[in-house]
Amino acid sequence: MTGDPETVVVGAAAIDEWYAVSNIPEPDGGAFAGEVTSVFGGVGANVAVALDRLGRDVGLVSRVGDDEYGRRAREYLAETGVDASRVRVGDDPSTRSLILSAPDGERAIVTTGESFRELRLSTADREAIAAADVAFLTGYTPDAVSRDVLGLVESARDPPALVFDLSGPVEELVGRGTEPETIHRLLHAADLFVAGDVAAAAYFGDEAAAVERGAAAQRARVDAGGAVPGGAEADWPRAVLTHGADGMTVIADGAVRRFEAFDVDVADATGAGDAFVAGLIDQWVAGGRDGAGADDGAGADAAGSESVADGVRFAAAVAAINCTERFAQGGLPTRETVARFLAERD
């Protein structure tokens, strides 16, 4: 692959040790693992691979260890269309996760390894981000890197659209991910801000506070004359709070709207949020710049409320389809698969 990718994802590429357990244990409780499997994951890699499956030109900025886990992560990436030329190898143990997955799709995740935590941007990384149409950050991105990307976006004459997924609760991020002060800056600077229930509650206090903060950030952006790709202004920045199987709350076009998730037979909910974010990036952010997705009836009118609904529906379909297969990337769909899924539900 030559040239800089249109979308640059900054996030971990990790190996997930996946345990199919009888139940998620309570404190001092236990569970039995009927199956143990190693698979490819990491929030950054999940989003990047999901975008690649949808046909997007995407690159990953990451760091793995010089060990068996890092080697396997790079091998997995080599089997995708993701530009992994900016995935560096360090001396620290590779970032990896232990995932407990119950029969009902409920899960618990424990992460270890210093490789991604020690990521810092090189000159080549900064140049690729500055040249991109879209830059994605996860809350697990080291704070120094998040601030570096913010600086690039804030100083560039033609900056990339910035997408930030809070990803985890603040107490989990402190010392290893994006710090609260930087999250505050991202809330006001990002073109799309996403947070799951647990992360939102830890940072904002509760859902009502999260909605109000998101709406306030949107008003501040519009009042400051913030523009979006394609020339529309009134609908950005957008914020989405995800509620798993209970759907999502969207703050866009000056309105707060609740959307339902698709009802599917869930095999594994791991990576559903990452797949959803990739779908939003495809429809709301990258689609707003190049018009892709319009043939599917989604994202054709970036300023209209129907575009908001279509984009959410598309992203929810990407997440739902992924949940029907095991593992974080096991069911990531192509654009054609999403189109068929949605057509069956019209």
Side-chain angles (χ1 to χ4, degrees):
M1 184 175 295
T2 59
D4 293 318
E6 294 174 356
T7 297
V8 174
V9 170
V10 183
I15 297 298
D16 294 339
E17 299 287 354
W18 188 86
Y19 282 60
V21 295
S22 56
N23 58 281
I24 303 300
E26 299 289 337
D28 295 325
F32 177 76
E35 180 186 357
V36 179
T37 309
S38 294
V39 293
F40 186 42
V43 174
N46 292 343
V47 172
V49 173
L51 287 167
D52 172 56
R53 293 274 178 88
L54 292 171
R56 291 292 177 183
D57 175 21
V58 57
L60 179 65
V61 175
S62 192
R63 186 173 183 272
V64 299
D66 186 15
D67 52 24
E68 177 68 12
Y69 292 102
R71 182 187 63 77
R72 287 164 56 193
R74 286 180 284 129
E75 287 178 350
Y76 278 117
L77 278 171
E79 296 175 357
T80 73
V82 175
D83 178 357
S85 62
R86 298 169 189 84
V87 176
R88 292 190 292 282
V89 179
D91 295 332
D92 315 283
S94 286
T95 299
R96 56 198 185 278
S97 295
L98 170 64
I99 299 176
L100 305 182
S101 180
D104 62 359
E106 186 180 5
R107 65 200 188 282
I109 302 174
V110 178
T111 301
T112 188
E114 297 293 315
S115 62
F116 183 64
R117 183 179 177 180
E118 297 301 321
L119 174 71
R120 297 296 182 269
L121 297 184
S122 68
T123 299
D125 296 335
R126 295 186 185 93
E127 290 174 349
I129 293 168
D133 291 336
V134 183
F136 170 80
L137 290 176
T138 162
Y140 294 118
T141 302
D143 192 67
V145 176
S146 294
R147 287 187 279 108
D148 204 346
V149 173
L150 265 171
L152 286 170
V153 170
E154 292 169 348
S155 63
R157 178 173 298 179
D158 182 22
L162 180 60
V163 179
F164 179 70
D165 180 3
L166 186 53
S167 308
V170 174
E171 61 268 23
E172 182 186 349
L173 300 176
V174 171
R176 66 174 281 234
T178 303
E179 301 283 342
E181 181 179 345
T182 309
I183 294 171
H184 176 79
R185 290 177 59 195
L186 285 161
L187 175 61
H188 291 271
D191 297 293
L192 172 60
F193 186 97
V194 183
D197 277 336
V198 174
Y203 180 71
F204 296 104
D206 54 36
E207 182 178 340
V211 169
E212 176 52 35
R213 286 281 297 278
Q218 183 179 108
R219 291 191 295 270
R221 181 69 170 268
V222 172
D223 290 345
V228 303
E233 295 182 1
D235 61 333
W236 283 66
R238 288 170 174 166
V240 181
L241 306 178
T242 59
H243 316 299
D246 294 326
M248 60 288 303
T249 300
V250 177
I251 308 164
D253 295 339
V256 178
R257 303 172 64 184
R258 186 77 174 235
F259 293 88
E260 297 298 321
F262 286 105
D263 185 16
V264 296
D265 293 330
V266 175
D268 185 6
T270 306
D274 304 335
F276 179 74
V277 170
L280 290 182
I281 292 172
D282 177 83
Q283 293 293 295
W284 282 359
V285 189
R289 292 202 168 206
D290 62 15
D295 292 341
D296 302 321
D301 177 9
S305 62
E306 286 308 308
S307 158
V308 171
D310 287 341
V312 171
R313 192 165 182 261
F314 181 94
V318 175
I321 295 167
N322 194 48
C323 285
T324 62
E325 301 290 343
R326 298 193 305 172
F327 316 131
Q329 299 176 18
L332 289 174
T334 64
R335 190 176 302 280
E336 292 73 23
T337 301
V338 177
R340 288 194 299 271
F341 179 94
L342 292 174
E344 292 170 357
R345 285 157 177 77
D346 281 340

